mmCIF file of all heavy atoms in Angstrom:
data_model
loop_
_atom_site.group_PDB
_atom_site.id
_atom_site.type_symbol
_atom_site.label_atom_id
_atom_site.label_comp_id
_atom_site.label_asym_id
_atom_site.label_seq_id
_atom_site.Cartn_x
_atom_site.Cartn_y
_atom_site.Cartn_z
ATOM 1 N N MET A 8 52.845 7.974 -19.026
ATOM 2 C CA MET A 8 51.878 6.995 -19.687
ATOM 3 C C MET A 8 51.425 5.959 -18.755
ATOM 4 O O MET A 8 50.251 5.450 -18.774
ATOM 5 C CB MET A 8 52.555 6.356 -20.864
ATOM 6 C CG MET A 8 52.878 7.444 -22.076
ATOM 7 S SD MET A 8 51.378 7.916 -22.874
ATOM 8 C CE MET A 8 51.156 9.517 -22.256
ATOM 9 N N ASP A 36 36.723 9.835 -19.789
ATOM 10 C CA ASP A 36 37.926 10.719 -19.642
ATOM 11 C C ASP A 36 37.526 12.174 -20.197
ATOM 12 O O ASP A 36 37.227 12.172 -21.373
ATOM 13 C CB ASP A 36 38.970 10.070 -20.433
ATOM 14 C CG ASP A 36 40.349 10.833 -20.369
ATOM 15 O OD1 ASP A 36 40.363 11.914 -20.036
ATOM 16 O OD2 ASP A 36 41.407 10.191 -20.735
ATOM 17 N N ASP A 38 39.240 14.427 -21.180
ATOM 18 C CA ASP A 38 40.156 14.788 -22.274
ATOM 19 C C ASP A 38 39.703 14.170 -23.608
ATOM 20 O O ASP A 38 40.280 14.487 -24.628
ATOM 21 C CB ASP A 38 41.534 14.521 -21.930
ATOM 22 C CG ASP A 38 42.098 15.432 -20.941
ATOM 23 O OD1 ASP A 38 41.687 16.598 -20.865
ATOM 24 O OD2 ASP A 38 42.920 14.862 -20.074
ATOM 25 N N ASP A 51 23.229 9.661 -18.656
ATOM 26 C CA ASP A 51 23.876 8.635 -17.839
ATOM 27 C C ASP A 51 24.437 9.156 -16.492
ATOM 28 O O ASP A 51 24.944 10.256 -16.472
ATOM 29 C CB ASP A 51 25.047 7.991 -18.600
ATOM 30 C CG ASP A 51 24.560 7.123 -19.725
ATOM 31 O OD1 ASP A 51 23.424 6.746 -19.838
ATOM 32 O OD2 ASP A 51 25.457 6.831 -20.574
ATOM 33 N N LEU A 54 31.181 8.479 -13.973
ATOM 34 C CA LEU A 54 32.378 8.893 -13.321
ATOM 35 C C LEU A 54 33.146 9.657 -14.399
ATOM 36 O O LEU A 54 33.159 9.268 -15.531
ATOM 37 C CB LEU A 54 33.178 7.771 -12.839
ATOM 38 C CG LEU A 54 32.462 6.846 -11.772
ATOM 39 C CD1 LEU A 54 33.440 5.763 -11.360
ATOM 40 C CD2 LEU A 54 31.952 7.654 -10.585
ATOM 41 N N SER A 81 22.035 13.026 -13.675
ATOM 42 C CA SER A 81 20.930 13.843 -14.183
ATOM 43 C C SER A 81 19.648 13.338 -13.551
ATOM 44 O O SER A 81 19.554 12.194 -13.034
ATOM 45 C CB SER A 81 20.950 13.848 -15.685
ATOM 46 O OG SER A 81 20.635 12.463 -16.083
ATOM 47 N N VAL A 96 34.050 7.753 -5.172
ATOM 48 C CA VAL A 96 35.279 8.217 -5.804
ATOM 49 C C VAL A 96 36.217 8.736 -4.735
ATOM 50 O O VAL A 96 37.390 8.375 -4.825
ATOM 51 C CB VAL A 96 34.961 9.314 -6.830
ATOM 52 C CG1 VAL A 96 36.215 9.893 -7.354
ATOM 53 C CG2 VAL A 96 34.125 8.770 -8.033
ATOM 54 N N MET A 105 47.483 4.875 -1.167
ATOM 55 C CA MET A 105 48.565 4.559 -2.070
ATOM 56 C C MET A 105 47.972 3.647 -3.143
ATOM 57 O O MET A 105 47.154 2.721 -2.835
ATOM 58 C CB MET A 105 49.737 3.951 -1.399
ATOM 59 C CG MET A 105 50.357 4.903 -0.382
ATOM 60 S SD MET A 105 51.762 4.290 0.458
ATOM 61 C CE MET A 105 53.006 4.665 -0.745
ATOM 62 N N THR A 118 52.109 -7.631 -14.639
ATOM 63 C CA THR A 118 52.459 -8.535 -13.576
ATOM 64 C C THR A 118 53.381 -7.866 -12.564
ATOM 65 O O THR A 118 53.416 -8.340 -11.417
ATOM 66 C CB THR A 118 53.123 -9.692 -14.092
ATOM 67 O OG1 THR A 118 54.302 -9.350 -14.873
ATOM 68 C CG2 THR A 118 52.227 -10.588 -15.003
ATOM 69 N N PRO A 120 54.460 -4.131 -10.671
ATOM 70 C CA PRO A 120 54.186 -2.673 -10.493
ATOM 71 C C PRO A 120 55.403 -1.853 -11.089
ATOM 72 O O PRO A 120 56.545 -2.235 -10.972
ATOM 73 C CB PRO A 120 54.094 -2.491 -9.051
ATOM 74 C CG PRO A 120 54.699 -3.581 -8.371
ATOM 75 C CD PRO A 120 54.626 -4.758 -9.341
ATOM 76 N N ASN A 138 26.099 25.734 -16.191
ATOM 77 C CA ASN A 138 24.710 25.310 -16.122
ATOM 78 C C ASN A 138 24.475 23.841 -15.916
ATOM 79 O O ASN A 138 23.537 23.337 -16.250
ATOM 80 C CB ASN A 138 23.986 25.713 -17.406
ATOM 81 C CG ASN A 138 23.985 27.175 -17.612
ATOM 82 O OD1 ASN A 138 23.905 27.953 -16.698
ATOM 83 N ND2 ASN A 138 24.179 27.657 -18.885
#
Side-chain angles (χ1 to χ4, degrees):
M8 292 291 104
D36 181 340
D38 289 325
D51 290 343
L54 302 181
S81 61
V96 171
M105 298 181 82
T118 57
N138 300 322

